[in-house]
Amino acid sequence: MSRPMVLTAALVGAETTREQTPYLPITAEEIAEDAAKCREAGAAMVHIHVRTAEGKPSQDAELFRAAIRAIRKRTDVLVQVSTGGAVGMDVNERCGGLTLTGADKPDMATLTTGTVNFGEEVFWNPRPLVRDIAKRIKSIGLKPELECFDVGMIDEARYLAKEGLVDLPAHFDFVLGVPGTLQARPEVLDFMIASLPEGSSWTVAGVGRQQLPFVEEAAKRGGNARVGLEDNIYLSKGVLAKGNYELVAEAAKRARAAGRELATPEQARQLLRLG
């Protein structure tokens, strides 16, 4: 039997807007409602950014607190916070979600390990900044999801491990298809898998029209997948997903068709070594 597949729903992001899709959740209640539906559809974890009431990207700790509390009132889904934030944010702003403690503490946090072109902008992650965020994640007892837009970012994770900032084996997220970075092709995914530190787990997040096809690619290779409105707003060509839960439901259908069962949040906690 293959191991259960962890489906992560990336609910909000920093780039998607209400002008692009009216179904983007923005308030804490909207995020929580969609998260609960995603859990019912098969997601074990949600990856969250937060927004102001006007829909502007934010990493404010109180907005994260409100979203996490609302999610946990409704469902047992794991909550992963972004430390990427939006292009142009400084490190303290990006790490707002890492200041939460006690019952509001997230289950996991992302850590991007390098700088890349990001469409027409630059997602700035120089080594000192990456080390800073890695130290913050480790200091509060969280495990990072190492977010890699290129293969060199996997090697950078090894350097972080040598410095004691990341524990190996780790969990990686391959984000494929952002303009300016590695594109979503099966041979690219195979190369990234082959480059992983021994024993590490992985998720793939295909961007745009490659999102759902790469659920199938991950399923066939024994990996995990991320879907959601952060990376893709369409259920099929020209058809908007009416919420993240529709993308999760379609991902779950494709995973099961490939012979994979879906992980529960508790199984995901074990598979991702979250303690």
Side-chain angles (χ1 to χ4, degrees), residues 2-262:
S2 63
R3 62 172 49 192
M5 186 178 197
V6 178
L7 285 182
T8 298
L11 302 181
V12 185
E15 304 289 330
T16 308
T17 67
R18 277 276 175 86
E19 287 69 36
Q20 293 170 321
T21 174
Y23 304 110
L24 181 73
I26 288 178
T27 68
E29 292 302 314
E30 290 169 347
I31 291 170
E33 182 179 355
D34 206 347
K37 290 180 179 178
C38 287
R39 169 71 177 98
E40 292 173 7
M45 182 159 64
V46 292
H47 166 80
I48 61 171
H49 293 240
V50 287
R51 305 288 183 100
T52 66
E54 298 73 35
K56 181 181 178 182
S58 174
Q59 293 286 104
D60 180 77
E62 293 309 311
L63 291 175
F64 271 119
R65 188 190 310 278
I68 291 172
R69 286 185 176 181
I71 290 168
R72 288 179 173 160
K73 282 182 181 179
R74 288 169 173 77
T75 179
D76 63 347
V77 74
L78 300 178
V79 180
Q80 179 194 87
V81 296
S82 169
T83 65
V87 171
M89 290 182 175
D90 67 30
V91 66
N92 288 323
E93 189 176 6
R94 286 169 59 169
C95 291
L98 301 182
T99 65
L100 302 180
T101 59
D104 300 326
K105 184 177 172 181
D107 297 291
M108 199 176 197
T110 59
L111 174 63
T112 305
T113 56
T115 298
V116 289
N117 288 323
F118 199 91
E120 302 304 309
E121 300 176 301
V122 176
F123 185 19
W124 185 242
N125 294 290
R127 276 179 149 184
L129 183 148
V130 174
R131 290 189 184 100
D132 186 350
I133 297 177
K135 288 175 184 176
R136 297 185 196 208
I137 293 172
K138 193 174 183 70
S139 71
I140 61 172
L142 289 185
K143 294 290 180 67
E145 178 177 82
L146 298 164
E147 202 169 54
C148 299
F149 295 78
D150 212 333
V151 178
M153 294 186 184
I154 298 175
D155 292 323
E156 191 63 15
R158 296 179 192 272
Y159 283 110
L160 293 171
K162 288 179 180 178
E163 295 178 1
L165 300 176
V166 168
D167 296 324
L168 296 179
H171 180 66
F172 291 76
D173 179 31
F174 309 141
V175 184
L176 303 180
V178 175
T181 71
L182 273 176
Q183 294 305 288
R185 299 189 301 274
E187 63 270 23
V188 168
L189 179 58
D190 289 334
F191 182 38
M192 296 190 83
I193 295 168
S195 302
L196 286 174
E198 185 176 356
S200 294
S201 53
W202 59 273
T203 288
V204 64
V207 173
R209 63 185 179 86
Q210 296 296 342
Q211 183 175 93
L212 292 169
F214 265 70
V215 173
E216 296 170 307
E217 297 295 342
K220 290 187 293 186
R221 291 163 172 79
N224 310 291
R226 179 175 112 174
V227 298
L229 296 175
E230 174 170 346
D231 304 319
N232 163 53
I233 62 175
Y234 294 106
L235 188 61
S236 58
K237 187 174 182 180
V239 178
L240 290 173
K242 293 183 175 63
N244 288 282
Y245 65 94
E246 286 200 341
L247 294 166
V248 173
E250 179 60 25
K253 177 182 174 182
R254 295 183 184 214
R256 290 185 176 115
R260 299 289 298 282
E261 290 302 315
L262 301 179

